[in-house]
Amino acid sequence: MTLDFYKPQQALTGPAYSLWFKILATVVTILLATYGMNIAIRFPLMQYGFGVKALLAGAALMLIISYYWFLRSTITINESGITQRWMYNRHVEWRDIRSAKMIGIPYLSAIFPPRLVVRTGNSFTTFNGGSQSILVEFAKISLAYQMKK
């Protein structure tokens, strides 16, 4: 018999990052891409060694991949647990959770909404919430696991 301490009333799926965070990510990505092109135009990059070229190509690739996943990442809260789809998927089942707490950056919650930090055994997993309904469910989860103590 497994004791499931928390179950959501209904399955919920939403964005992992808020609209303001996506706007900030877009602005930073554009600025970094513009700066990179400015450097590429001003300096003779083809005269540098393979290592420098590979480093710059890798940095550009990581910028593109990160930006793509900031825009596409989703979070799902259902009867099996919490799942965040990102560059790599995070999943925690309800039976594995020992504690949960919401943390945030004061005065910047519009851009960086609070996150849910879940403790499972010896590790911590952080989940981002980008919509009001996800954040409300995070608050319910946090409250339920604080009452568990």
Side-chain angles (χ1 to χ4, degrees):
M1 181 180 120
T2 61
L3 179 63
D4 292 324
F5 189 73
Y6 181 81
K7 290 283 187 181
Q9 293 177 355
Q10 61 183 5
L12 191 62
T13 300
Y17 297 98
S18 68
L19 176 64
W20 288 107
F21 185 86
K22 290 177 183 180
I23 291 170
L24 179 65
T26 301
V27 169
V28 168
T29 301
I30 290 170
L31 288 174
L32 285 173
T34 302
Y35 182 70
M37 286 191 286
N38 187 7
I39 295 294
I41 290 170
R42 294 166 90 209
F43 292 98
L45 293 180
M46 291 312 202
Q47 294 176 3
Y48 290 107
F50 175 76
V52 173
K53 293 175 194 172
L55 180 68
L56 292 174
L61 180 65
M62 283 308 300
L63 178 66
I64 292 167
I65 291 171
S66 297
Y67 177 66
Y68 172 80
W69 281 106
F70 279 134
L71 297 180
R72 302 275 302 159
S73 181
T74 60
I75 188 153
T76 303
I77 302 171
N78 57 22
E79 65 279 347
S80 67
I82 308 171
T83 304
Q84 183 171 342
R85 304 214 180 277
W86 201 63
M87 203 177 317
Y88 57 92
N89 296 339
R90 300 178 216 166
H91 177 75
V92 174
E93 294 184 15
W94 296 119
R95 66 174 183 226
D96 297 333
I97 298 176
R98 293 179 64 187
S99 66
K101 184 176 184 179
M102 286 183 71
I103 61 169
I105 301 172
Y107 309 111
L108 292 177
S109 61
I111 298 173
F112 306 106
R115 300 168 182 213
L116 182 70
V117 178
V118 174
R119 182 174 183 200
T120 58
N122 293 331
S123 67
F124 292 92
T125 306
T126 304
F127 295 100
N128 301 295
S131 70
Q132 191 67 29
S133 59
I134 297 289
L135 292 175
V136 167
E137 197 66 32
F138 279 179
K140 291 178 184 177
I141 294 167
S142 177
L143 184 61
Y145 282 94
Q146 283 178 6
M147 291 171 39
K148 179 181 178 183
K149 291 181 182 180

